Amino acid sequence: MRHILSVTVENEPGVLSRVAGLFSGRGFNIESLNVGPTLDTGVSVMTITTEGDEQIIEQIVKQLRKLITVIKVVDLTDLKSVLREMVLLKVNANDANRAEILRTVDIFRCKVVDVSIDELTIEATGNYEKISAIVGLLTRFGIKEISRSGMVAMKRSIQN
Amino acid sequence: MELTGAQILLECLKREGVEVLFGFPGGAVIDIYNELPNTSLKHVLVRHEQAAIHAADGFARASGKVGCCLVTSGPGATNTVTGIATAYMDSIPVVILTGQVPTPLIGNDAFQEVDIVGITRPCTKHNYLVKDVRELAHVIRQAFYLARSGRPGPVLVDLPKDVMQVKTKFVWPDDVKMRSYNPNCKPHSGQIKKVAQLIRDAERPIIYAGGGVITSKAHESLTWLAKNLHIPVTATLMGLGCFPGDDKLWLGMLGMHGTYAANMAINNADLVLAVGARFDDRVTGKVSTFAPMAKLVHIDIDPTSIQKNVSVHVPLVSDCRLALEALKEELAPSLAEYDFEAGHMPWVTKVGVWGKEHPLNYQASETTIKPQSVVEKIHEITKGEAVICTEVGQHQMWTAQFYRFNEPNCFLSSGGLGTMGYGFPAAIGAQFARPDKMVIDIAGDGSIQMNIQEMATSVCNNLGVKIVILNNGYLGMVRQWQELFYKKNYCSTCMDAQPDFVKLAEAYGAAGFRITDPGDLDRVLRQALDTPGTVIVDVRVEREENVYPMVPAGASLTDMLLV
Ligand SMILES: Cc1ncc(C[n+]2csc(CCOP(=O)(O)OP(=O)(O)O)c2C)c(N)n1
Ligand SMILES: [Mg+2]
């Protein structure tokens, strides 16, 4: 099962390689990883999407907590949380299919962020499933380039 | 007053209680060496950096304090990696100080530059590159704190040359606080009650003790619990010495080369108390058949050890000593209500029968020296009171089996990594920690050649370290596997060209003895161990003796090959 871990770390050199090295060294799998600063300049938050059975996820969480530079690990999977990814897609567009592409963009409430004679660049934001659905729908027009962020996530204020 | 980085470093070491520093100089650390004579620190010049880290490790294991070593950048640093991994696998507190090229050159492939922080990230508890002299005292403080607290381990501090040269005001941090590191040491009282009840209810309990018992100095509480509640005790290689080896509740080591009694007891127990152990594959054999009838209780300070290899019924994250003391307190009142002795009598009797059916054994011989008999003889001569180090191989297992350890911190062996070449430098470190004790490295003829250059270190420091080589002319443990599982294809395990170990000892200015006749064993071994200073004893033993019992890798503990 996929798990989303929010990992608060000391913002210091090498912290990313400590986390990445932990995953590769122990044979855990990273599906996506996002790192960004917080309001406290000394602290960063990583959002890691990973897969494994309960026992593996338990090990991953404990091993992360054991790293000296890790301050906090929260498994957001069992919590109500807001999950977002962003993707930029460069799609082939001609007079025959441009309208259809724009309709899809509209339905998914995406944005066109760049246009040329034969291409549209689309920005989409949403959870993992929505992004996957958009990518799936646009594939038939020919996706020339794709750049997908890792997941960012936040626990919801109200849990029940 | 302003001090240079080198002066600050040495002042910090002094305040951390470092007495001996094992090291080897080079360009990147000359500034530190330049200051050394102005301190009270004892520096021991080794002959290879691998020996510096093993000696620091041996010092730590024998003393229970943090060991410390100092090496130069590049090759000096990379030479310590095997020793760092050795200490990491066995949770030994050491601080490794490495020189580094000056900060402006870092990343430029400068002469003798290597990213040692990157290289050692997966085999240290933590590591640091000090880029600013103002952080130095803080980092050293944290390094020692991390090395010795929680689950101990090696911590490396990389020290660029320019940081050692610049001056700053020295401020000793009174306290170490790290928001991201708070090891949980105290046991949860609810869990303690649960474990206590399981112990009261058990009919066939067994204690399976690991290195954590020794690290946390839990041996007294463990012995109290075992003796008062009449629970048989087995231990891993790392746990040997945590319980008296001559007690009737002692089963011997468990696992691949464990005793019949210990492995059978694990297999039939209804309660296994794992204390400071980590269910290593050399201990469990096939995991799915380990302790099939038992409820498992796992006490360990490291949460990642729990539920990693086996799923346990009652996890207890805690310092082992604090947990066992809490259990003792919880169970002491029960001694009046329960007759544990009578309750466990059938079980203790049964375990005793297994011990008699297949005791540790070997075929005695009049013509060749049996390696096991050498270990027994060393035990007899030293009255079981020596600090014993080993290398890795058959001799290591025979030592674990036949030297019945009575005290903790007296058996120094590379358990987790299995590092040949560990024993002799570790013995040097141990001798500095315990000048009052006889320190013996029981070695193989293969392993001893991996750090034999340390003869010079031992001799020039007038150390009384004794090396007893169980010389079978083979990389014996590998040969044993080839014999049993590879149709006797003894490829590359016969040590044809060996040095004359007696002459080698003499060449280094030490004494050398050779024993080939079983009739000479007692006399010459006594004479050798009585000889002051560093001594090598080359004992020519039965060449193709095997270590038994043996559980083949991946088999169940009950599938033992016996003598
Ligand atoms: C550094 C290192 N290299 C290789 C091995 C693999 N190995 C394990 S035991 C052994 C044989 C050791 O031979 P010796 O020291 O003569 O001991 P014996 O088994 O003969 O008692 C070897 C090669 C190891 N453990 N460590
Ligand atoms: Mg040998």
Side-chain angles (χ1 to χ4, degrees):
Chain A
M1 188 181 144
R2 176 172 328 109
H3 281 246
I4 298 120
L5 308 177
S6 174
V7 185
T8 310
V9 299
E10 297 284 356
N11 180 16
E12 56 182 52
V15 62
L16 179 60
S17 70
R18 283 183 206 281
V19 170
L22 168 69
F23 276 78
S24 62
R26 293 189 178 268
F28 303 143
N29 146 55
I30 299 184
E31 207 163 90
S32 78
L33 181 142
N34 187 290
V35 199
T38 65
L39 295 181
D40 177 347
T41 49
V43 170
S44 301
V45 168
M46 295 185 178
T47 311
I48 302 174
T49 319
T50 181
E51 254 204 63
D53 60 28
E54 284 312 305
Q55 193 257 341
I56 299 224
I57 298 296
E58 183 183 332
Q59 262 301 308
I60 293 177
V61 169
K62 285 179 181 174
Q63 293 285 359
L64 281 167
R65 288 192 177 130
K66 188 172 160 181
L67 291 178
I68 307 297
T69 34
V70 168
I71 301 167
K72 195 168 103 179
V73 183
V74 181
D75 186 346
L76 293 174
T77 320
D78 304 327
L79 299 168
K80 291 207 171 68
S81 37
V82 186
L83 309 173
R84 288 292 179 272
E85 273 183 59
M86 191 175 99
V87 67
L88 294 172
L89 295 158
K90 196 175 280 169
V91 182
N92 284 324
N94 51 41
D95 292 343
N97 64 17
R98 186 170 286 115
E100 176 68 20
I101 295 172
L102 290 174
R103 230 188 336 271
T104 311
V105 165
D106 223 32
I107 292 167
F108 279 94
R109 278 178 280 154
C110 313
K111 269 192 267 176
V112 174
V113 289
D114 192 30
V115 187
S116 73
I117 299 173
D118 54 359
E119 291 169 351
L120 285 171
T121 301
I122 295 158
E123 172 197 312
T125 314
N127 63 17
Y128 180 86
E129 285 73 24
K130 176 177 164 185
I131 300 292
S132 298
I134 294 167
V135 172
L137 279 172
L138 294 177
T139 302
R140 66 195 158 108
F141 303 109
I143 296 174
K144 292 175 85 175
E145 237 184 275
I146 182 165
S147 177
R148 193 166 171 169
S149 75
M151 176 106 62
V152 291
M154 196 167 282
K155 189 176 106 179
R156 286 189 189 274
S157 305
I158 298 167
Q159 283 293 312
N160 312 309
Chain B
M1 198 179 74
E2 297 223 318
L3 299 179
T4 65
Q7 290 167 332
I8 291 173
L9 171 72
L10 294 172
E11 180 60 26
C12 290
L13 296 187
K14 203 179 95 193
R15 294 189 188 214
E16 287 294 347
V18 177
E19 301 148 27
V20 197
L21 191 57
F22 301 92
F24 202 86
V29 287
I30 295 192
D31 297 275
I32 303 169
Y33 275 88
N34 197 41
E35 286 299 331
L36 255 180
N38 305 328
T39 71
S40 58
L41 279 169
K42 163 108 187 126
H43 178 267
V44 177
L45 178 66
V46 294
R47 298 304 189 265
H48 186 298
E49 289 89 351
Q50 185 186 351
I53 170 77
H54 286 329
D57 169 316
F59 180 92
R61 291 191 208 218
S63 66
K65 298 177 195 163
V66 181
C68 191
C69 68
L70 169 64
V71 298
T72 193
S73 67
T78 53
N79 270 347
T80 65
V81 173
T82 301
I84 295 174
T86 304
Y88 184 67
M89 289 292 270
D90 289 345
S91 310
I92 307 303
V94 275
V95 170
I96 303 98
L97 306 167
T98 52
Q100 183 53 280
V101 301
T103 43
L105 294 185
I106 291 179
N108 288 2
D109 298 322
F111 178 64
Q112 295 196 327
E113 178 186 359
V114 61
D115 175 14
I116 196 65
V117 167
I119 289 173
T120 59
R121 213 168 265 140
C123 61
T124 49
K125 181 167 174 182
H126 196 53
N127 58 18
Y128 297 89
L129 167 63
V130 183
K131 281 192 164 162
D132 184 336
V133 71
R134 286 167 301 181
E135 296 167 4
L136 180 60
H138 232 78
V139 168
I140 297 296
R141 193 88 216 259
Q142 282 189 5
F144 277 83
Y145 169 60
L146 288 174
R148 68 165 75 94
S149 62
R151 177 176 180 173
V155 179
L156 180 141
V157 184
D158 203 16
L159 303 162
K161 187 173 169 92
D162 55 326
V163 175
M164 293 295 97
Q165 292 169 329
V166 291
K167 284 190 166 180
T168 190
K169 194 159 164 259
F170 172 59
V171 187
W172 175 245
D174 287 324
D175 204 11
V176 219
K177 268 210 200 87
M178 299 171 72
R179 62 178 163 187
S180 57
Y181 177 75
N182 298 293
N184 178 32
C185 296
K186 291 209 188 81
H188 185 275
S189 62
Q191 295 295 87
I192 287 288
K193 288 201 163 60
K194 251 194 226 170
V195 177
Q197 195 50 45
L198 284 175
I199 293 176
R200 286 187 204 102
D201 294 344
E203 288 175 4
R204 304 185 308 281
I206 179 171
I207 294 173
Y208 145 40
V213 175
I214 292 177
T215 313
S216 67
K217 303 182 171 51
H219 53 281
E220 279 170 12
S221 311
L222 184 135
T223 305
W224 186 95
L225 284 169
K227 289 194 174 177
N228 284 280
L229 306 173
H230 298 269
I231 304 176
V233 181
T234 180
T236 66
L237 187 78
M238 294 299 298
L240 295 178
C242 72
F243 187 77
D246 45 25
D247 195 280
K248 71 172 186 358
L249 289 166
W250 172 245
L251 302 179
M253 186 170 74
L254 81 166
M256 181 174 273
H257 292 298
T259 63
Y260 181 76
N263 287 342
M264 289 302 284
I266 285 283
N267 196 57
N268 287 280
D270 66 352
L271 177 68
V272 173
L273 295 167
V275 191
R278 59 188 175 87
F279 297 89
D280 179 84
D281 54 272
R282 285 291 186 268
V283 162
T284 60
K286 188 173 174 187
V287 187
S288 57
T289 59
F290 181 78
M293 287 184 259
K295 286 220 157 62
L296 297 179
V297 172
H298 192 180
I299 305 175
D300 201 281
I301 195 158
D302 180 359
T304 69
S305 287
I306 293 173
Q307 316 288 27
K308 182 171 67 184
N309 299 338
V310 296
S311 85
V312 296
H313 302 89
V314 186
L316 182 53
V317 176
S318 165
D319 174 86
C320 293
R321 184 173 58 81
L322 298 181
L324 295 188
E325 279 171 3
L327 273 176
K328 180 176 159 185
E329 207 163 295
E330 186 70 27
L331 285 161
S334 304
L335 290 179
E337 300 160 41
Y338 293 74
D339 188 345
F340 287 100
E341 182 166 17
H344 295 162
M345 178 71 87
W347 171 237
V348 172
T349 309
K350 193 166 184 182
V351 168
V353 170
W354 284 321
K356 289 208 182 69
E357 271 173 14
H358 296 285
L360 284 174
N361 212 350
Y362 59 92
Q363 303 240 291
S365 162
E366 306 245 296
T367 48
T368 55
I369 301 175
K370 289 293 181 140
Q372 300 92 331
S373 72
V374 183
V375 178
E376 286 179 326
K377 188 53 81 183
I378 296 173
H379 181 269
E380 184 192 319
I381 297 173
T382 59
K383 303 190 185 73
E385 287 169 0
V387 173
I388 302 287
C389 305
T390 73
E391 309 291 337
V392 172
Q394 293 182 310
H395 63 277
Q396 176 190 32
M397 291 301 123
W398 287 317
T399 305
Q401 292 178 332
F402 289 91
Y403 194 97
R404 296 186 308 277
F405 294 90
N406 281 318
E407 285 175 74
N409 306 94
C410 286
F411 177 56
L412 281 52
S413 195
S414 169
L417 200 67
T419 308
M420 288 171 70
Y422 168 80
F424 181 32
I428 291 175
Q431 189 74 81
F432 277 101
R434 299 298 307 266
D436 56 317
K437 284 249 188 197
M438 166 153 316
V439 179
I440 303 174
D441 176 34
I442 300 183
D445 49 303
S447 301
I448 193 60
Q449 297 184 60
M450 286 212 173
N451 273 315
I452 191 72
Q453 76 287 343
E454 298 310 314
M455 283 298 289
T457 312
S458 188
V459 169
C460 81
N461 285 283
N462 297 315
L463 300 182
V465 173
K466 310 289 182 263
I467 302 171
V468 179
I469 305 174
L470 304 187
N471 189 345
N472 52 14
Y474 278 117
L475 299 173
M477 185 56 94
V478 182
R479 188 208 56 74
Q480 175 171 345
W481 283 50
Q482 289 171 328
E483 177 187 332
L484 297 175
F485 313 116
Y486 293 86
K487 299 189 180 131
K488 291 200 176 186
N489 179 11
Y490 293 167
C491 177
S492 296
T493 43
C494 184
M495 300 294 260
D496 298 309
Q498 268 186 346
D500 180 329
F501 287 111
V502 173
K503 283 192 186 149
L504 191 82
E506 287 162 6
Y508 277 109
F513 295 84
R514 176 168 297 118
I515 314 178
T516 50
D517 187 332
D520 294 339
L521 182 63
D522 182 82
R523 182 179 52 82
V524 182
L525 200 53
R526 276 178 202 280
Q527 190 192 346
L529 298 184
D530 266 350
T531 304
T534 307
V535 172
I536 296 184
V537 194
D538 177 16
V539 189
R540 299 298 172 89
V541 297
E542 174 78 56
R543 292 202 63 199
E544 300 201 3
E545 187 74 9
N546 285 341
V547 183
Y548 291 117
M550 176 174 195
V551 178
S556 302
L557 284 191
T558 45
D559 295 337
M560 281 170 272
L561 308 176
L562 298 164
V563 180

